[in-house]
Amino acid sequence: MNKKLIALAIATAVSAPAMAATSNVDVYGLMSVGVDSVTNNNAGAGDSTKRVGRVSDYASRIGFKGTEDLGNGLAATWQIEQQINSDGVGTGAFAGAGMRNTFVGLKSKDLGEVRVGKHDTPYKMSTGRFDVFADTLGDYNGLVGASTATAAGSYFDQRTNNTVAYLTPNFSGFSAAGSYVFGAETATSGSASTGNAYSLAAMYEAGPLYLTAAYERHNIGSASTGTLAAPAGNGNVEEKAWKLGASYSIMDFTLAALYEKTDDNFNAGSNLYGHRTWFLSGKYQMGATALKASYANAGSDNQSATVSNGAKLYTLGADYAFSKRTTVYALYTKISNDAGAAYNFAYNPATGVGAGDTVSGMSLGLKHSF
């Protein structure tokens, strides 16, 4: 059935008068489920091995979006996108953690677009295309943008609440994006602060070449509320990250690389969790089959002067596209932690992972978009 007809039926059932005033609504989504075998080689338990089989959802979602022409080159835009836990694990509603990019905005061909709501930061958007295993067990956010810290805010590939974002038009291959994140919904008393953040990215694309640079800063408040809260024992501190990335396509082969550096002034002004991360990915397309590989290397931070806490992430896999909308994939991924690190999968992390553990997994999955 035509997607717009489905949207019309849904919206009419909820509010017929509201739907009558809407010019166009599209329904879209993704169902993505994998069957996994995950192993945790637990160093703290004498190298005993823990293996578990499971069915996992990988970013399944449903969304509604639309535009309205306002004349003079101006349009109103909106989107509502919601996570779906198709494996039956967890909870979701049209709010909180289950909400994906959801916003209302104004768009001009000459001036760009403003979006207000919940949105990926420009920092995240700038290199998302490099992750050939995005939204799977091998997602590069296991290391890229991540930290071994358990403190709030120590993650730099975010989809933030309370966000105002601006996206420029494309100027002969050049474009940019910026966003500001308000720290909380409510005011606090005394000297407590709720924090805020901003994120910037610049992109250039010409044929097979793509270049990007991004910067993000978290001014973490002391109130322990809102999007950005102070880690334990620290207040009114800040952290920042920058990265450079490039990709290039030759015939059916695409190679991508990025370098990321994070810094902070936690722990009485020292750079506690700051570290560098390298990432490489490659994809070779052979008709309906795509062969893929990626590697990430996170360096140590300053939590310990004697114990290294970096990690390495390796992933190999292949996709087969039955059609433009339906793909089956298989992959193997492994995170090797140094003695002081406990990095884990970005999606559906393994349980019981501690310092020095090696965690690995095999996944066979099916994706269908609509």
Side-chain angles (χ1 to χ4, degrees):
M1 183 181 293
N2 185 280
K3 291 187 287 185
K4 293 186 178 181
L5 291 177
I6 299 175
L8 181 61
I10 295 172
T12 300
V14 176
S15 176
M19 188 58 204
T22 302
S23 57
N24 67 313
V25 180
D26 288 328
V27 179
Y28 67 94
L30 172 71
M31 296 300 296
S32 179
V33 181
V35 179
D36 306 335
S37 175
V38 174
T39 301
N40 176 16
N41 184 14
N42 193 294
D47 289 331
S48 63
T49 298
K50 302 176 182 178
R51 180 180 291 108
V52 62
R54 65 190 191 185
V55 172
S56 298
D57 181 89
Y58 287 106
S60 294
R61 70 203 71 156
I62 187 169
F64 308 86
K65 62 182 179 180
T67 62
E68 182 184 11
D69 187 355
L70 303 177
N72 298 316
L74 188 66
T77 63
W78 64 273
Q79 177 174 296
I80 301 171
E81 187 172 297
Q82 170 67 21
Q83 169 186 319
I84 298 172
N85 299 310
S86 59
D87 57 349
V89 177
T91 60
F94 278 85
M99 187 73 76
R100 295 174 60 85
N101 284 355
T102 298
F103 57 86
V104 65
L106 291 173
K107 183 177 182 180
S108 166
K109 180 179 179 181
D110 297 325
L111 299 177
E113 183 176 3
V114 174
R115 297 176 176 177
V116 183
K118 183 169 185 174
H119 204 279
D120 291 344
T121 63
Y123 189 90
K124 176 182 179 180
M125 295 162 60
S126 65
T127 59
R129 62 166 66 187
F130 296 174
D131 188 6
V132 293
F133 297 102
D135 297 343
T136 70
L137 196 64
D139 191 295
Y140 79 167
N141 284 139
L143 265 63
V144 175
S147 170
T148 59
T150 57
S154 57
Y155 188 61
F156 280 97
D157 263 33
Q158 299 193 30
R159 179 179 298 118
T160 50
N161 305 323
N162 300 315
T163 299
V164 178
Y166 171 66
L167 291 74
T168 72
N170 188 300
F171 301 103
S172 301
F174 289 95
S175 62
S179 70
Y180 181 83
V181 183
F182 296 89
E185 299 281 344
T186 57
T188 58
S189 61
S191 60
S193 62
T194 56
N196 55 70
Y198 62 88
S199 182
L200 304 167
M203 291 74 69
Y204 174 72
E205 187 168 11
L209 176 66
Y210 174 79
L211 302 173
T212 186
Y215 176 81
E216 187 165 299
R217 188 184 195 96
H218 302 165
N219 301 307
I220 302 177
S222 61
S224 295
T225 60
T227 303
L228 299 168
N234 297 270
N236 291 318
V237 290
E238 64 183 27
E239 59 186 357
K240 56 189 177 182
W242 61 267
K243 61 182 172 182
L244 300 173
S247 68
Y248 193 81
S249 297
I250 305 174
M251 302 295 287
D252 296 320
F253 182 72
T254 301
L255 179 67
L258 72 83
Y259 176 80
E260 176 180 65
K261 184 71 171 66
T262 68
D263 296 282
D264 63 60
N265 66 351
F266 297 174
N267 195 27
S270 67
N271 185 13
L272 187 61
Y273 301 124
H275 64 285
R276 58 94 187 131
T277 303
W278 288 95
F279 174 77
L280 295 170
S281 68
K283 177 180 178 180
Y284 182 67
Q285 192 73 42
M286 300 185 301
T289 302
L291 304 179
K292 305 186 295 185
S294 68
Y295 169 77
N297 184 310
S300 292
D301 59 29
N302 296 317
Q303 294 184 69
S304 172
T306 59
V307 179
S308 175
N309 62 354
K312 299 177 179 64
L313 167 64
Y314 313 84
T315 310
L316 293 171
D319 296 349
Y320 181 80
F322 290 107
S323 68
K324 290 183 178 180
R325 296 186 299 170
T326 303
T327 300
V328 65
Y329 69 85
L331 66 84
Y332 171 80
T333 187
K334 177 180 178 181
I335 297 177
S336 297
N337 284 301
D338 291 345
Y343 286 95
N344 205 335
F345 303 129
Y347 273 90
N348 301 322
T351 58
V353 175
D357 290 359
T358 295
V359 58
S360 61
M362 294 180 290
S363 184
L364 177 64
L366 178 66
K367 294 183 178 183
H368 176 76
S369 61
F370 59 90

